[in-house]
Amino acid sequence: MLRILYFAWLRDRLGRSGETLPLPQGAHCVQDLITALRARGGEYAAIFARPELIRVAVNQSFATIAAPIAAHDEIAFFPPVTGG
């Protein structure tokens, strides 16, 4: 099972801070997971419509949407972080 975490406006839009899901069939990278989440429709489709606006971490390390994923990984989605 994947542990998926949502932060900031993603959490607010989905109304949840995370969820546990089985690895979608055929999902080998973060982009595949995003595609599966977007296919759920509703707010998922809206927030994942432009993945370039979202950052991701796999097992607590910054990653790209091309990063490989496997069952039991922790995937975190969050907005870009800015300093100031």
Side-chain angles (χ1 to χ4, degrees):
M1 299 291 272
L2 291 174
R3 181 172 180 217
I4 303 175
L5 304 174
Y6 305 106
F7 292 93
W9 62 265
L10 293 95
R11 176 189 59 228
D12 296 342
R13 298 261 316 256
L14 289 173
R16 64 178 68 203
S17 60
E19 59 189 314
T20 303
L21 299 173
L23 182 67
Q25 186 167 345
H28 302 287
C29 66
V30 173
Q31 178 62 61
D32 297 335
L33 175 61
I34 289 172
T35 299
L37 291 170
R38 189 172 46 230
R40 296 172 101 182
E43 286 299 319
Y44 288 95
I47 68 170
F48 290 110
R50 295 190 58 203
E52 68 274 10
L53 299 178
I54 299 171
R55 300 298 177 257
V56 64
V58 176
N59 298 322
Q60 301 181 7
S61 294
F62 287 111
T64 69
I65 62 173
I69 60 172
H72 308 293
D73 280 348
E74 178 186 88
I75 313 296
F77 293 105
F78 50 94
V81 179
T82 60

